[in-house]
């Protein structure tokens, strides 16, 4: 989609250190004086008398897009998925920041283009599996090893990438002392790799079992915090059942 590429170029340009021409008024500023404004990737403090930047703070650090088409409409909608923070520690962009981002997008978009910018809390990864280990170390050490591997996976995962059941099981099996990983069809509660995703209203949905693959809603993964609406969602240690491999 040509416009999507154009839009990402505009946004990616702002990822780099912000540049502003002295004496040229910024297109989002409408009143004289010094104040804070947010321009997509950055929060900037401007002095409107000479348009100098006093400080900058990066807002958007990750962005992806997908084109969504509804049957009843001829026009498609460009969905921009955004997040802030460092890789592996991504977070939702606050609503007030998102309003500024939408204002910026509305100024640069082509006439008639439908754009929806979304930012949500991270999808909660819940690996309900049985992990067999060699018995050479304590359960606590095995859990430490598994958690380390899952955190590495989350840290290195590309933004808005798909989550594969086989990949999560491979990651768990790669932990030191783990000999096998199994989804037990007879286990209760049901085993499998699950995601719990936040909706547009900021509330977490029910756990969804991944078949072969599932796309993230927020664009990134994290472990259950066990707080608020995530209180009933198990973290990695609570979700995984450990058994000493007797074979």
């Amino acid at each position: 989609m040509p416009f999507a590429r154009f839009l990402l170029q505009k946004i990616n340009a702002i990822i780099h250190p912000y540049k502003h021409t002295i004496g040229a008024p910024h297109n989002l500023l409408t009143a004289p004086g010094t104040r804070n404004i947010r321009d997509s990737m950055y929060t900037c403090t401007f002095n409107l008398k000479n348009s100098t930047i006093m400080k900058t703070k990066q807002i958007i650090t990750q962005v992806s897009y997908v084109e969504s088409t509804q049957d009843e409409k001829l026009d498609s909608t460009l969905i921009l998925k955004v997040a802030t923070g460092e890789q592996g520690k991504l977070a939702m962009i606050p609503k007030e920041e998102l309003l500024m981002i939408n204002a910026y997008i509305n100024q640069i978009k082509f006439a008639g283009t439908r754009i929806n910018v979304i930012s949500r809390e991270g999808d909660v990864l819940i690996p309900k599996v049985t992990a067999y280990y060699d018995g050479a170390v304590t359960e606590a050490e095995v859990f430490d090893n598994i958690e380390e591997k899952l955190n590495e996976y989350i840290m290195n995962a590309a933004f808005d990438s798909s989550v594969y059941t086989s990949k999560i099981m491979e990651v768990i099996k790669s932990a030191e002392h783990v000999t096998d990983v199994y989804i037990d069809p007879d286990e209760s509660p049901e085993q499998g790799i699950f995601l719990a995703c936040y909706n547009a209203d900021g509330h977490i949905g029910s756990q969804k079992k991944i078949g072969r693959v599932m796309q993230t809603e927020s664009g990134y993964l994290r472990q259950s915090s066990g707080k608020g609406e995530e209180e009933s969602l198990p973290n990695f240690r609570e979700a995984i059942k450990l058994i000493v491999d007797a074979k």
Side-chain angles (χ1 to χ4, degrees), residues 29 31-37 45-50 52 54:
L29 302 177
T34 301
R35 63 173 184 163
N36 289 332
I37 65 100
T45 299
F46 282 85
N47 184 309
L48 296 194
K49 292 183 179 179
N50 56 17
T52 57
M54 298 170 64

Side-chain angles (χ1 to χ4, degrees), residues 15 17 44 104 181:
I15 292 177
C44 305
Y104 175 78
V181 180

Side-chain angles (χ1 to χ4, degrees), residues 44-91:
C44 305
T45 299
F46 282 85
N47 184 309
L48 296 194
K49 292 183 179 179
N50 56 17
S51 297
T52 57
I53 295 177
M54 298 170 64
K55 64 179 179 179
T56 61
K57 178 185 176 183
Q58 194 170 12
I59 296 174
I60 297 178
T61 57
Q62 299 289 338
V63 59
S64 68
Y65 75 89
V66 64
E67 187 178 359
S68 175
T69 304
Q70 296 180 347
D71 293 337
E72 66 272 17
K73 295 181 180 179
L74 294 177
D75 294 334
S76 60
T77 300
L78 184 66
I79 307 296
L80 282 177
K81 195 178 294 185
V82 296
T84 190
E86 300 176 358
Q87 188 72 17
K89 297 180 180 180
L90 296 175

Side-chain angles (χ1 to χ4, degrees), residues 1 9 20 36 56 75 91 93 109 129 164 168 182 206 228 241 243:
M1 188 178 194
Q9 287 173 358
H20 187 71
N36 289 332
T56 61
D75 294 334
I93 294 175
K109 72 177 184 178
V129 298
Y164 290 84
I168 300 299
Y182 178 60
S206 59
K241 180 179 180 180
I243 297 178

Side-chain angles (χ1 to χ4, degrees), residues 167-178:
K167 180 61 179 177
I168 300 299
M169 295 182 69
E170 287 174 8
V171 169
I172 296 172
K173 189 176 180 181
S174 70
E176 190 174 6
H177 297 290
V178 174

Side-chain angles (χ1 to χ4, degrees), residues 18-181:
Y18 197 99
K19 295 182 180 179
H20 187 71
T21 304
I22 300 299
H26 194 275
N27 60 1
L28 291 184
L29 302 177
T30 58
T34 301
R35 63 173 184 163
N36 289 332
I37 65 100
R38 294 167 175 82
D39 182 5
S40 187
M41 294 290 185
Y42 287 85
T43 299
C44 305
T45 299
F46 282 85
N47 184 309
L48 296 194
K49 292 183 179 179
N50 56 17
S51 297
T52 57
I53 295 177
M54 298 170 64
K55 64 179 179 179
T56 61
K57 178 185 176 183
Q58 194 170 12
I59 296 174
I60 297 178
T61 57
Q62 299 289 338
V63 59
S64 68
Y65 75 89
V66 64
E67 187 178 359
S68 175
T69 304
Q70 296 180 347
D71 293 337
E72 66 272 17
K73 295 181 180 179
L74 294 177
D75 294 334
S76 60
T77 300
L78 184 66
I79 307 296
L80 282 177
K81 195 178 294 185
V82 296
T84 190
E86 300 176 358
Q87 188 72 17
K89 297 180 180 180
L90 296 175
M92 177 185 73
I93 294 175
K95 291 182 179 179
E96 60 272 17
E97 307 282 4
L98 206 57
L99 288 174
M100 293 294 183
I101 294 169
N102 275 295
Y104 175 78
I105 296 299
N106 286 332
Q107 288 197 10
I108 66 173
K109 72 177 184 178
F110 296 156
T113 305
R114 300 175 184 271
I115 301 177
N116 185 19
V117 183
I118 63 173
S119 186
R120 298 179 183 175
E121 296 281 2
D123 296 12
V124 179
L125 176 64
I126 309 169
K128 297 180 182 178
V129 298
T130 297
Y132 291 85
Y133 69 106
D134 58 18
V137 295
T138 65
E139 283 193 2
E141 290 179 80
V142 178
F143 275 129
D144 285 343
N145 295 339
I146 292 173
E147 189 169 14
E148 181 181 1
K149 289 296 183 180
L150 286 170
N151 287 334
E152 285 179 3
Y153 167 76
I154 291 173
M155 175 74 72
N156 297 321
F159 184 68
D160 202 24
S161 57
S162 299
V163 182
Y164 290 84
T165 292
S166 59
K167 180 61 179 177
I168 300 299
M169 295 182 69
E170 287 174 8
V171 169
I172 296 172
K173 189 176 180 181
S174 70
E176 190 174 6
H177 297 290
V178 174
T179 58
D180 194 17
V181 180

Side-chain angles (χ1 to χ4, degrees), residues 146-236:
I146 292 173
E147 189 169 14
E148 181 181 1
K149 289 296 183 180
L150 286 170
N151 287 334
E152 285 179 3
Y153 167 76
I154 291 173
M155 175 74 72
N156 297 321
F159 184 68
D160 202 24
S161 57
S162 299
V163 182
Y164 290 84
T165 292
S166 59
K167 180 61 179 177
I168 300 299
M169 295 182 69
E170 287 174 8
V171 169
I172 296 172
K173 189 176 180 181
S174 70
E176 190 174 6
H177 297 290
V178 174
T179 58
D180 194 17
V181 180
Y182 178 60
I183 295 177
D184 191 341
D186 299 321
E187 188 69 25
S188 181
E190 182 184 12
Q191 287 197 341
I193 307 300
F194 294 79
L195 286 184
C197 309
Y198 282 84
N199 59 29
D201 296 324
H203 298 293
I204 198 153
S206 59
Q207 300 177 40
K208 298 179 181 178
K209 185 177 181 179
I210 302 174
R212 185 181 71 88
V213 61
M214 184 181 293
Q215 188 75 22
T216 55
E217 293 287 338
S218 65
Y220 59 103
L221 298 170
R222 59 187 182 82
Q223 184 175 185
S224 172
S225 66
K227 300 177 182 179
E229 294 190 12
E230 298 175 24
E231 185 177 4
S232 63
L233 300 180
N235 59 30
F236 295 156

